[in-house]
Amino acid sequence: WSATVRFCSSALLLGAAITLGFFVTYSETLVYFDSALENFLGQVRKPFAANVLLVITTLSQPSWILGCGLGLALVTLLTGGRRSALLLGTSPVLAVCVASLIKLIFTRPRPDLVAIAQEAGFSFPSNHVAVATAFFMSLIVWVWRSTAERRIRVLCGSLGVSLIMLVAYSRVYLGFHYLTDTLGGILVGLGTWAIATTVSGHMNLPEKLPKNFALLCSVLTIGGIVAAATQLAPRSLKFVSPLVVK
C-alpha cells in the first residue's frame, strides 16, 4: 500500500476510536450494555482464571511494554534493522500518548464493579490494550520484514493477535475496563501502529551507529527499563485484597 493509503487508514482508525468515545459517553444503550457485561463477568469470575489474568494484565503494563519496545529497538538498530528499530521504538510511545490524550477528552470513569485491584485514571480508551496492540503488531511487522518463511510469519501473526486479545480480555474480566474501552484501545493501537509503520518504511536512516553513541543508547535504555520496572509499574496497581480471589 502507498503511504497515502496507510495514513488515511490510520486516520480512519483513530477517527473510529474518537467516534466510539462519543458513543460510550452519550449513548445510554451502550453504557447499559457495558455495565451489564461487567456485572455478568463479576458474577461468574473464578479465582484461578482471575489470578492468571491478573498476572497477564500486570505484565502488560504500558511501562513494561515501552521498556521492551525500546530495548528491542536498540538491539534491532545495532544489528542493522533501522526501519524496524524505528517502528518498535515509536509505535508503543505514540500509542500511549494518543490514548492518554483521548482519555482527557472523554474522562470516562472506570467501572464501579469491585475489581481485583484499584487503578487510577480514566477508563476510555484502555492504555494497556492500545500499547499492547501497537507493540505486538510492530513485532509482527518486524518478523515479516526479517524472514520469508511462511510458517514463521503465520505463527508470529497468530501469537501476536492472540496476545492482544488476551490482554483486552483480562482488562474486562478483572473489572478494570468496559468492553468498549478495550475496543477503543485496539483502534488507537492499530491507528498509531499504521502511522509508525508508514513513517519507518519511508525514512532514510544511517547504515550504522557510531560506537560511542550505541553504548550511550544501551545505558539509557537499560536505565529506562529499570526505572519503569521499579517506579511506574508498582504504582499503577493498588491491590485491595490478596492475590487469590475468594
Side-chain angles (χ1 to χ4, degrees), residues 15-137:
I18 295 175
T19 302
L20 180 60
F22 280 105
F23 275 106
V24 300
T25 302
Y26 299 107
S27 173
E28 294 183 0
T29 302
L30 200 53
V31 171
Y32 175 80
F33 169 78
D34 273 338
S35 300
L37 179 60
E38 282 298 323
N39 291 330
F40 171 76
L41 291 176
Q43 295 173 1
V44 302
R45 184 185 297 158
K46 301 299 181 181
F48 177 76
N51 287 318
V52 171
L53 292 175
L54 182 60
V55 172
I56 293 173
T57 200
T58 302
L59 293 176
S60 64
Q61 290 283 339
S63 56
W64 286 97
I65 294 182
L66 290 174
C68 291
L70 292 175
L72 285 175
L74 178 61
V75 172
T76 307
L77 188 59
L78 295 177
T79 56
R82 303 176 308 281
R83 293 180 178 179
S84 295
L86 181 62
L87 173 62
L88 290 168
T90 59
S91 183
V93 174
L94 187 59
V96 74
C97 291
V98 173
S100 299
L101 178 61
I102 296 178
K103 280 178 179 288
L104 295 177
I105 295 175
F106 296 107
T107 62
R108 187 188 196 187
R110 291 185 181 272
D112 55 6
L113 177 70
V114 177
I116 304 303
Q118 293 178 345
E119 284 199 32
F122 300 116
S123 188
F124 181 90
S126 170
N127 248 334
H128 281 70
V129 178
V131 177
T133 300
F135 176 69
F136 289 121
M137 291 300 296

Side-chain angles (χ1 to χ4, degrees), residues 93-206:
V93 174
L94 187 59
V96 74
C97 291
V98 173
S100 299
L101 178 61
I102 296 178
K103 280 178 179 288
L104 295 177
I105 295 175
F106 296 107
T107 62
R108 187 188 196 187
R110 291 185 181 272
D112 55 6
L113 177 70
V114 177
I116 304 303
Q118 293 178 345
E119 284 199 32
F122 300 116
S123 188
F124 181 90
S126 170
N127 248 334
H128 281 70
V129 178
V131 177
T133 300
F135 176 69
F136 289 121
M137 291 300 296
S138 299
L139 281 180
I140 294 173
V141 172
W142 179 30
V143 172
W144 276 62
R145 288 175 176 175
S146 303
T147 180
E149 182 64 35
R150 179 181 176 84
R151 283 181 291 185
I152 296 179
R153 286 182 167 185
V154 172
L155 177 61
C156 179
S158 302
L159 181 60
V161 173
S162 298
L163 288 173
I164 293 171
M165 295 296 104
L166 191 58
V167 171
Y169 180 68
S170 72
R171 302 301 291 170
V172 178
Y173 186 86
L174 296 174
F176 294 134
H177 284 287
Y178 296 109
L179 176 62
T180 49
D181 298 336
T182 61
L183 294 178
I186 291 175
L187 290 172
V188 171
L190 290 175
T192 53
W193 162 75
I195 294 175
T197 302
T198 305
V199 173
S200 66
H202 291 79
M203 288 191 67
N204 294 321
L205 300 173

